[in-house]
């Protein structure tokens, strides 16, 4: 979840830091730091965090009957 309360602190999504490239962040308190580190003045900014991509659903287990509005065909 993007707005969950137990976010691991990272400089990459701190409201004080400015992203320099994919890995480095310019922090007004510590200077240029790694995006994975953090300090005591970390303040979470949800708009800086990119959530992980969702996995594609696996439909291989489903049958045609699963998509039918009628019940399964009865054997006669």
């Amino acid at each position: 979840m993007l707005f969950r309360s137990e976010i691991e602190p990272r400089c990459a999504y701190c409201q004080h830091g400015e992203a320099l490239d994919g890995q480095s962040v310019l922090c007004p308190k510590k200077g240029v730091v790694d995006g994975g580190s953090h300090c005591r003045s970390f303040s979470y900014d949800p708009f800086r965090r990119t959530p992980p991509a969702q996995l594609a659903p696996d439909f291989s287990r489903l049958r045609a009957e699963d998509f039918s509005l009628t019940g399964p065909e009865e054997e006669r």
Side-chain angles (χ1 to χ4, degrees), residues 48-64:
R48 294 183 187 231
R49 183 169 170 260
T50 304
Q54 293 183 348
L55 298 175
D58 180 21
F59 295 115
S60 64
R61 297 177 291 137
L62 300 176
R63 302 179 315 243

Side-chain angles (χ1 to χ4, degrees), residues 27-46:
C27 177
K29 309 249 183 217
K30 302 286 184 176
V32 177
V33 294
D34 180 49
S37 62
H38 71 280
C39 67
R40 291 187 306 175
S41 60
F42 171 78
S43 181
Y44 179 59
D45 183 0

Side-chain angles (χ1 to χ4, degrees), residues 3 10 40 46 52 65 67:
F3 295 104
R10 296 176 59 106
R40 291 187 306 175
E65 293 85 30
F67 297 97

Side-chain angles (χ1 to χ4, degrees), residues 63-74:
R63 302 179 315 243
E65 293 85 30
D66 295 331
F67 297 97
S68 174
L69 294 178
T70 61
E73 296 294 325
E74 294 180 8

Side-chain angles (χ1 to χ4, degrees), residues 11 13-18 25-29 41-43 45 48:
C11 290
Y13 37 84
C14 176
Q15 76 176 8
H16 303 294
E18 295 293 327
V25 175
L26 177 60
C27 177
K29 309 249 183 217
S41 60
F42 171 78
S43 181
D45 183 0
R48 294 183 187 231

